[in-house]
Amino acid sequence: FLLYLMLLNVNKLKVIAIVGARPQFIKHFPFEKSLSSDTELITIHTGQHYDQNMSQIFFEELGIPNPTYNINVGSGRHGKQTAKMIEGIEEILLKEIPDVVILYGDTNSTIAGALAASKIHIPIVHIEAGLRSFNKKMPEEINRISCDHMSSLLFSPTKQGIFNLKKEGFSTDTNNKASMDNPNIYHCGDIMLDNSMYFGQNEHSSKLMDTLELEEGNYVLCTIHRDNNTDSEKNLNNILKALLNCQEKTNLKIVLPLHPRTKKKINQLKNQELVKKITNNINISIIPPAGFIDIIALEKKSRLIITDSGGLQKEAYFFKKPCVILREQTEWVEIVENGNAILTGSDYDKINDAILHLLSKNDFTYPPIFGDGKAGQFICSKILSDL
């Protein structure tokens, strides 16, 4: 009997998934839900997002078991933070000796996991591969390109992602045994759509709408967190002025869940008169970062979404909401090309024009760009067959 148990354990595929930031906790849920009994899963939390509202709340709300390991790197400069992650991840990989490492998206946790795993020849699965903004000043662009070229299995949420990979030399021919030198690439749909479909049915469990006294279709949801928006006084001023103008001109309420870093930067602005106008406006609700169930409820019932987050751009599309993107480029080019979103950067006039245009537009279409909500199942099946 003991020999049988030992053999059973040997035959299991040992998988390590690395997470560290809000979007990755959410992306991890459908993967964990789709795993077979032939798989042993170990989760590493790098600690890139360590705040309760940016980290632990997602494990609790999604019903994901707490991570097996937490490296607790905390915040810091890109190089320092990434170096700590690589050191911590490598130590765990050498201890656990997994068959495969799962990486999500394009954060510092992603690139750290890719470097640590590839150097000791552990196959990498990259979920959300092939996305390109074509702006290498964005740290995420460097992370996603580098991770793709270290991976054995690459899963793209969109056809555009596959096209981007082909342009970089990847082949669409599949190998029976995928490797870093001979990777397999797949168009699988978006794993975030899996989540939105699953949890979108339960958004009524959120009490935040009642707490904030919001009416469906009568408010704008806005998030700001990117360095080039928060660390530039000019850019942050422009965005806040545009939000204030939006509220005053449209009479819509604005809900602003603030990343702790963004809140700090706003409080440090020299233009304290603007800060007071924002904070004292009874129709602008500044709240802590929202949990996943709350943010879905806010997205589903909003009139418009304004964001510099890649995840919220897609979720706006999933829930058929127009979106103003506070960036110069986006990896989700399809939603812009289809007229569902407008790129504005931090330009005050562009933000105002985009808000008015999207609020007056009534001929939106929502083709199934991001798949059918079964990406997690597809990814798991290919891991088992190709590795």
Side-chain angles (χ1 to χ4, degrees):
F1 178 70
L2 289 174
L3 179 62
Y4 168 77
L5 289 178
M6 289 169 65
L7 289 171
L8 187 66
N9 191 52
V10 166
N11 289 332
K12 279 194 172 186
L13 187 76
K14 192 173 190 179
V15 177
I16 282 186
I18 297 174
V19 298
R22 171 196 180 272
Q24 293 167 328
F25 310 143
I26 300 167
K27 290 166 192 169
H28 184 58
F29 173 79
F31 177 72
E32 180 153 346
K33 188 162 62 77
S34 302
L35 279 175
S36 75
S37 58
D38 297 327
T39 308
E40 177 188 357
L41 177 65
I42 295 167
T43 306
I44 300 174
H45 184 350
T46 64
Q48 182 174 337
H49 279 175
Y50 52 90
D51 180 87
Q52 163 69 17
N53 287 330
M54 297 295 289
S55 177
Q56 185 58 34
I57 190 172
F58 291 100
F59 288 93
E60 294 169 0
E61 284 191 342
L62 300 176
I64 301 173
N66 283 328
T68 318
Y69 297 95
N70 194 324
I71 302 174
N72 292 308
V73 296
S75 61
R77 298 188 308 274
H78 287 287
K80 185 176 181 181
Q81 186 186 62
T82 306
K84 284 183 178 180
M85 290 179 188
I86 294 171
E87 183 179 13
I89 292 168
E90 182 185 55
E91 186 176 327
I92 296 167
L93 295 182
L94 290 171
K95 174 186 174 183
E96 295 288 352
I97 315 177
D99 298 297
V100 61
V101 166
I102 309 293
L103 300 173
Y104 304 94
D106 51 23
T107 68
N108 285 343
S109 299
T110 309
I111 189 61
L115 286 166
S118 64
K119 296 278 188 176
I120 53 178
H121 314 300
I122 299 171
I124 294 166
V125 173
H126 188 200
I127 296 173
E128 227 172 52
L131 304 180
R132 300 291 182 265
S133 67
F134 301 102
N135 177 7
K136 289 182 181 175
K137 290 182 180 178
M138 294 174 63
E140 294 91 342
E141 185 80 349
I142 301 298
N143 293 344
R144 59 175 76 106
I145 292 172
S146 302
C147 184
D148 280 346
H149 286 268
M150 288 183 268
S151 298
S152 296
L153 282 180
L154 296 87
F155 293 98
S156 175
T158 63
K159 291 179 181 178
Q160 180 65 43
I162 295 293
F163 177 74
N164 294 338
L165 291 172
K166 287 168 68 177
K167 281 176 60 178
E168 292 176 14
F170 287 88
S171 171
T172 53
D173 294 336
T174 55
N175 306 284
N176 290 331
K177 179 74 172 176
S179 68
M180 185 160 50
D181 289 324
N182 295 285
N184 288 349
I185 68 174
Y186 293 103
H187 173 220
C188 64
D190 199 303
I191 201 161
M192 288 294 284
L193 180 58
D194 295 25
N195 274 331
S196 296
M197 290 175 65
Y198 184 83
F199 287 102
Q201 303 169 12
N202 302 316
E203 102 284 344
H204 58 270
S205 63
S206 170
K207 307 299 182 188
L208 193 54
M209 293 278 296
D210 292 337
T211 302
L212 298 176
E213 299 181 348
L214 298 173
E215 296 177 8
E216 183 171 354
N218 197 35
Y219 65 91
V220 173
L221 172 64
C222 177
T223 70
I224 316 161
H225 78 279
R226 294 187 59 77
D227 292 359
N228 61 315
N229 284 331
T230 61
D231 292 4
S232 164
E233 185 131 347
K234 177 184 176 182
N235 293 351
L236 191 52
N237 272 323
N238 281 347
I239 292 169
L240 294 178
K241 286 178 183 176
L243 290 179
L244 193 61
N245 184 66
C246 171
Q247 198 289 306
E248 292 172 350
K249 292 290 175 64
T250 67
N251 208 31
L252 292 170
K253 291 187 175 183
I254 294 178
V255 181
L256 189 59
L258 281 188
H259 189 288
R261 194 168 166 281
T262 307
K263 186 175 182 179
K264 180 180 177 182
K265 292 292 183 180
I266 290 175
N267 290 333
Q268 291 173 344
L269 287 174
K270 293 175 184 175
N271 189 350
Q272 283 298 303
E273 184 180 347
L274 172 63
V275 175
K276 287 178 182 177
K277 284 182 179 179
I278 290 284
T279 54
N280 293 335
N281 189 314
I282 60 171
N283 290 312
I284 298 178
S285 298
I286 298 175
I287 63 174
F292 188 57
I293 302 299
D294 283 337
I295 205 74
I296 278 186
L298 289 172
E299 289 166 354
K300 284 190 73 173
K301 302 292 177 65
S302 69
R303 175 81 181 276
L304 174 74
I305 292 174
I306 303 173
T307 188
D308 58 9
S309 160
L312 260 71
Q313 292 173 43
K314 284 186 301 176
E315 288 162 18
Y317 187 88
F318 298 160
F319 295 123
K320 299 184 177 181
K321 304 298 177 182
C323 183
V324 175
I325 303 173
L326 303 173
R327 288 163 51 171
E328 301 290 343
Q329 300 91 10
T330 179
E331 58 274 28
W332 308 110
V333 294
E334 297 89 348
I335 64 175
V336 175
E337 291 172 351
N338 199 55
N340 306 89
I342 297 175
L343 291 162
T344 65
S346 58
D347 186 285
Y348 175 79
D349 291 327
K350 287 183 179 179
I351 297 170
N352 285 320
D353 290 345
I355 290 170
L356 293 176
H357 174 76
L358 291 172
L359 288 176
S360 62
K361 182 178 167 70
N362 55 17
D363 59 346
F364 294 104
T365 62
Y366 294 88
I369 295 167
F370 297 102
D372 59 3
K374 297 180 180 178
Q377 296 173 33
F378 180 86
I379 291 167
C380 287
S381 69
K382 290 303 178 185
I383 289 173
L384 292 171
S385 65
D386 293 14
L387 295 177

